[in-house]
Amino acid sequence: MSKYDYDLFVIGAGSGGVRSARLAAQLGKRVAVAEESKPGGTCVVRGCVPKKFMVYGAEFGNAIKSAQKYGWSVGDVSFDWAALRDSIQTEVARLSGIYSNVLEKNGATLYSERAEFVDDHTVRLTTSGKEVTAETILIAVGGRPWMPPIKGAEHAIMSDDAFLLDKLPESILIIGGGYIASEFAGIFAGMGVKTVQAYRGDQLLKGFDDDVRSVAGTHQKLLGIDTRFNISPTEIKKTTGGYIVTFDDGSKIGTDLVFMATGRKAHTAGLGLDKAGVDMSKSGAVVVDEFSRSSVKHIYAVGDVTDRVNLTPVAIREGAAFVDTVYNDRPTAYDHNEIASAVFTIPPIGVVGLNETEARAVYGDDMEVYTTSFKPMKNALAEKEQRCYMKLITEGKTERVVGIHIVGDDSPEIIQALGICVKAGLTKADFDRTCAVHPTLAEEIVTLKARAS
Ligand code: NDP
């Protein structure tokens, strides 16, 4: 008989926590999970899922405009923010319920309250005050939006708030050039809000391929987003009708709503990691090895709280690898290379593998770059300026494909399949001997020509 209340205690019922808890419970382990908010975590409750619904909502506006070129006569149309917000929240509640059921059905205990470490084997549930012990503890508390502490920062909303607005503003100023800023700029502009996106760099989406960044910037402008570069906010002042934001170059922008999308940080504040002896990085992330093990041998961490690759499917894979390592006697280090991902701008971006700068750093001149830019069929008839951009990067004599970057409709769907090709180590010749599916946007990937140097 174990001296602990549970074999495994998971803190956080998000993607990584629930997957780990379910798999361990299915192996007959005595598992408990604590969640201070709704089960489902950032992805389901205040991230990927409601965001994607909002993107769908925003895209209808453009589709209605294009419909006329396709022969539809469109009468008066209007957009009802509250209707969209509420139907999204209903779906979020349904999905969150599924997460609770998964735990319950597999015999895991869910504590709907916050848990904090008392020592390396004990957590306190902060609402009931109950203390429980576990042989192994998994930290899966995710991240939280972060904003710089400028004067008046309390007037700004962050991504968590954007899903629950009482009403849609007439204008919005979004600060940041990353995933969340760029996606929400597309969402608000698509819903008819006068949108300014202000970024401290000179191209959106730092870390992405430079050409992709440039095309993404063009698309934001085509959507009507007023993009401003090389400025950083220093102060937000409330006025009678809205806010005035001052920037470090002295410029000011007036707006109805300020949205700070300036990054996320591991949600470890107040978790008591010091009491358990768990090491953290400077930014507060839990430091782990390749098996997701922290500095304490029976405490593990998966997902955004470790600040490795902060994506839902990665947290899920890390959770499964944790269970294999600890309970299946199969030490598994999840491979963080060649993870396909998408940015849900309008149109979206799909990428896998190395960008051109990264490839150049690894392969020097022993690489080739293939590109194309074209107006997709659908946009030709709709008379939309938006173009599709593709880049494929190969290395060495065998021309193994090491990176693919697509900006265009359905690119997240396309890149999922192309991710398999890159992971499998396919070559340009494999792409070339694959017959096209016509007429599609994706067919261009099997007919790419080397970029003229
Ligand atoms: P990002 O790190 O992508 O972007 C943060 C932005 O804020 C950057 O443009 C950054 O500038 C800017 N910034 C940071 N500090 C300041 C400051 N003090 N003043 C002004 N600007 C500042 O974070 P997000 O919050 O957008 O997203 C967090 C993570 O969540 C992503 O990295 C991703 O892993 C995940 N995510 C994934 C999505 C997807 O898969 N589709 C969607 C949303 C989030 P700079 O670039 O110069 O550093």
Side-chain angles (χ1 to χ4, degrees):
M1 186 65 190
S2 166
K3 61 180 178 166
Y4 301 106
D5 299 326
Y6 295 102
D7 298 318
L8 173 66
F9 195 96
V10 180
I11 311 180
S15 304
V18 170
R19 180 59 59 97
S20 311
R22 170 169 74 76
L23 293 176
Q26 284 171 344
L27 292 170
K29 301 297 163 192
R30 296 169 307 131
V31 179
V33 182
E35 172 56 59
E36 63 183 331
S37 171
K38 288 182 195 148
T42 299
C43 177
V44 171
V45 180
R46 56 192 90 80
C48 328
V49 170
K51 181 272 310 287
K52 184 94 185 264
F53 281 126
M54 283 172 71
V55 173
Y56 284 137
E59 280 173 339
F60 275 107
N62 292 317
I64 290 166
K65 275 183 218 150
S66 301
Q68 296 172 59
K69 299 284 179 193
Y70 279 87
W72 292 88
S73 53
V74 183
D76 277 350
V77 290
S78 60
F79 173 68
D80 181 348
W81 158 251
L84 176 64
R85 179 199 60 205
D86 294 349
S87 54
I88 291 174
Q89 289 308 313
T90 303
E91 180 60 8
V92 165
R94 187 184 74 81
L95 294 171
S96 176
I98 290 174
Y99 273 67
S100 302
N101 291 342
V102 160
L103 292 174
E104 199 184 312
K105 245 180 40 201
N106 288 286
T109 303
L110 175 64
Y111 292 101
S112 299
E113 52 187 307
R114 182 176 166 79
E116 293 173 2
F117 280 93
V118 173
D119 61 41
D120 65 331
H121 279 292
T122 313
V123 297
R124 179 181 300 112
L125 295 153
T126 59
T127 310
S128 59
K130 184 178 164 130
E131 289 193 1
V132 295
T133 59
E135 185 173 7
T136 303
I137 298 178
L138 178 69
I139 305 165
V141 296
R144 285 290 178 277
W146 171 88
M147 64 168 111
I150 60 168
K151 206 169 159 201
E154 69 278 9
H155 298 308
I157 66 159
M158 296 199 285
S159 54
D160 290 2
D161 314 302
F163 300 107
L164 302 170
L165 296 177
D166 287 340
K167 63 181 180 69
L168 206 58
E170 275 181 31
S171 61
I172 192 163
L173 167 61
I174 302 182
I175 312 283
Y179 281 82
I180 295 178
S182 302
E183 292 180 341
F184 273 95
I187 288 168
F188 283 111
M191 290 176 183
V193 179
K194 195 167 168 287
T195 305
V196 179
Q197 181 179 3
Y199 174 46
R200 65 181 176 181
D202 53 12
Q203 294 239 56
L204 303 177
L205 296 168
K206 190 166 84 182
F208 283 74
D209 187 272
D210 284 342
D211 291 320
V212 166
R213 297 176 72 186
S214 159
V215 175
T218 304
H219 284 163
Q220 297 292 78
K221 285 201 185 95
L222 286 172
L223 275 185
I225 299 164
D226 177 358
T227 42
R228 313 267 182 104
F229 294 98
N230 301 309
I231 52 171
S232 214
T234 52
E235 184 179 2
I236 304 173
K237 246 193 195 138
K238 194 166 170 30
T239 62
T240 42
Y243 303 94
I244 291 183
V245 180
T246 306
F247 290 86
D248 52 0
D249 65 348
S251 63
K252 291 180 194 295
I253 297 176
T255 184
D256 288 345
L257 193 61
V258 185
F259 180 167
M260 288 277 207
T262 43
R264 297 177 60 85
K265 285 212 187 327
H267 186 43
T268 49
L271 200 57
L273 291 177
D274 50 330
K275 293 178 187 145
V278 172
D279 287 349
M280 284 184 283
S281 70
K282 262 198 196 131
S283 68
V286 176
V287 177
V288 289
D289 67 10
E290 70 268 39
F291 300 108
S292 296
R293 187 195 291 248
S294 78
S295 53
V296 179
K297 70 176 188 345
H298 56 274
I299 299 180
Y300 290 74
V302 295
D304 289 8
V305 74
T306 62
D307 197 19
R308 287 176 283 183
V309 178
N310 298 333
L311 299 170
T312 297
V314 175
I316 290 171
R317 294 299 178 113
E318 288 168 357
F322 154 74
V323 171
D324 274 345
T325 301
V326 177
Y327 298 118
N328 282 329
D329 201 17
R330 205 165 47 220
T332 305
Y334 181 62
D335 174 10
H336 289 89
N337 293 308
E338 294 146 347
I339 292 167
S341 67
V343 187
F344 293 94
T345 40
I346 301 174
I349 301 166
V351 304
V352 60
L354 303 180
N355 67 39
E356 191 174 340
T357 309
E358 290 165 342
R360 193 73 64 198
V362 179
Y363 303 111
D365 289 336
D366 196 17
M367 58 180 268
E368 190 60 82
V369 178
Y370 299 82
T371 61
T372 185
S373 166
F374 58 96
K375 192 184 266 195
M377 236 177 110
K378 194 172 172 187
N379 293 354
L381 205 66
E383 293 178 14
K384 273 166 71 178
E385 283 310 308
Q386 222 176 62
R387 296 177 73 78
C388 177
Y389 180 79
M390 290 183 183
K391 178 181 279 190
L392 182 143
I393 303 165
T394 66
E395 64 89 12
K397 279 200 180 59
T398 60
E399 289 226 79
R400 183 172 64 94
V401 178
V402 294
I404 304 180
H405 309 263
I406 306 178
V407 192
D409 285 339
D410 301 322
S411 56
E413 309 289 340
I414 299 166
I415 210 72
Q416 177 65 82
L418 293 176
I420 301 169
C421 304
V422 174
K423 199 81 188 162
L426 299 192
T427 63
K428 178 70 167 72
D430 293 317
F431 279 65
D432 290 345
R433 65 192 174 84
T434 303
C435 192
V437 179
H438 186 71
T440 65
L441 180 150
E443 68 180 299
E444 299 293 328
I445 204 74
V446 295
T447 59
L448 287 175
K449 301 271 176 295
R451 183 178 61 194
S453 44

